[in-house]
Amino acid sequence: MSSGEKKARESAGTCPRLDPNPTWDDTKNPDAVTPEPNKNFLQGNSKRFTAIIMESSETLELKFEDILKVQGEQRQKLYQEYSLQMKTLKRKLSEDAAEVKKHAKKLANIFKEQQKFIHQSLGIQKKRMEEFKDLCEQYLEKLVILRDSRGDSPIEELRRLIATLETKLLMLNRQQENAAGQLSLLDLLFS
């Protein structure tokens, strides 16, 4: 074992020795200052510490009040900004809802007009088809009459009948083209 280890073992079980007359103990020294000035010193220190603590607590209280005031102002400012944003958003949503409602009414009216127009167009087309059917039947009847008669006058009558039929067919064709043109214009308008 080394000497350091021996010292450590020996001192481990023993308490350190205290000097019976320490240098800081002035009670045994007749020239030492009497305890009265120590008491005054401690009271002075106590008053000074109390003043420092009071001043520090007042400073902390003021700082705390300032912090609370600043945070309150910041919260109020944030609340006002948030309120303004919410009011703006609500106004925009109301405007958008009104705009959507307006467009929905327009579309409903356009749809009703389209239905009405389609219904009218179908009625007109049905009427024209019936007229065309009647013309074809008349043509066939007159053709049969013409075939059966085989004379000069029937040829003239046939030419006249063909010319009349062609005229009516052209008129029907133009009317159908006009109706189809109107439909295509509506389709372009609503697409």
Side-chain angles (χ1 to χ4, degrees):
M1 247 200 248
S2 70
S3 63
E5 289 176 348
K6 283 182 184 179
K7 279 186 178 180
R9 264 200 178 161
E10 290 173 3
S11 66
T14 62
C15 293
R17 293 185 183 176
L18 296 175
D19 186 10
N21 293 320
T23 56
W24 52 268
D25 188 11
D26 291 336
T27 56
K28 293 183 180 177
N29 185 357
D31 296 329
V33 181
T34 59
E36 194 65 34
N38 280 340
K39 190 175 183 183
N40 288 339
F41 175 74
L42 289 176
Q43 284 178 348
N45 279 345
S46 174
K47 288 179 183 178
R48 201 169 29 153
F49 286 137
T50 304
I52 290 171
I53 288 172
M54 290 297 286
E55 188 178 317
S56 297
S57 68
E58 288 174 5
T59 305
L60 284 174
E61 194 173 314
L62 289 174
K63 285 183 180 180
F64 183 70
E65 287 175 3
D66 287 343
I67 289 171
L68 286 178
K69 183 180 177 184
V70 168
Q71 286 180 348
E73 290 171 354
Q74 289 174 344
R75 274 195 298 272
Q76 185 66 27
K77 184 179 177 184
L78 287 174
Y79 175 76
Q80 288 172 348
E81 289 175 2
Y82 174 76
S83 295
L84 180 64
Q85 289 174 355
M86 290 304 291
K87 285 177 184 177
T88 303
L89 181 63
K90 184 179 178 183
R91 182 179 46 80
K92 285 182 180 180
L93 285 174
S94 296
E95 289 173 358
D96 290 347
E99 193 71 23
V100 165
K101 194 181 271 188
K102 180 180 167 185
H103 285 298
K105 282 184 179 180
K106 280 184 179 179
L107 288 175
N109 289 337
I110 289 171
F111 181 71
K112 286 179 184 177
E113 289 294 322
Q114 259 188 333
Q115 280 183 322
K116 184 178 173 183
F117 178 75
I118 289 171
H119 183 69
Q120 288 174 349
S121 296
L122 289 174
I124 291 171
Q125 191 175 12
K126 182 179 178 184
K127 183 179 174 184
R128 287 181 184 159
M129 290 302 286
E130 288 174 2
E131 288 175 0
F132 181 71
K133 180 182 173 187
D134 290 342
L135 282 175
C136 286
E137 286 175 0
Q138 286 176 12
Y139 175 73
L140 289 175
E141 286 174 7
K142 289 188 179 187
L143 188 61
V144 168
I145 292 173
L146 185 64
R147 187 183 60 192
D148 291 343
S149 68
R150 295 187 187 216
D152 285 339
S153 64
I155 292 176
E156 290 296 322
E157 191 176 328
L158 179 62
R159 285 184 184 156
R160 206 171 10 111
L161 180 63
I162 290 173
T164 306
L165 187 58
E166 284 178 346
T167 306
K168 287 184 179 182
L169 286 174
L170 281 173
M171 284 176 41
L172 280 174
N173 192 20
R174 284 184 188 152
Q175 288 174 351
Q176 286 177 348
E177 286 177 358
N178 287 340
Q182 289 176 351
L183 280 176
S184 65
L185 285 175
L186 281 175
D187 288 340
L188 286 174
L189 180 63
F190 297 117
S191 59

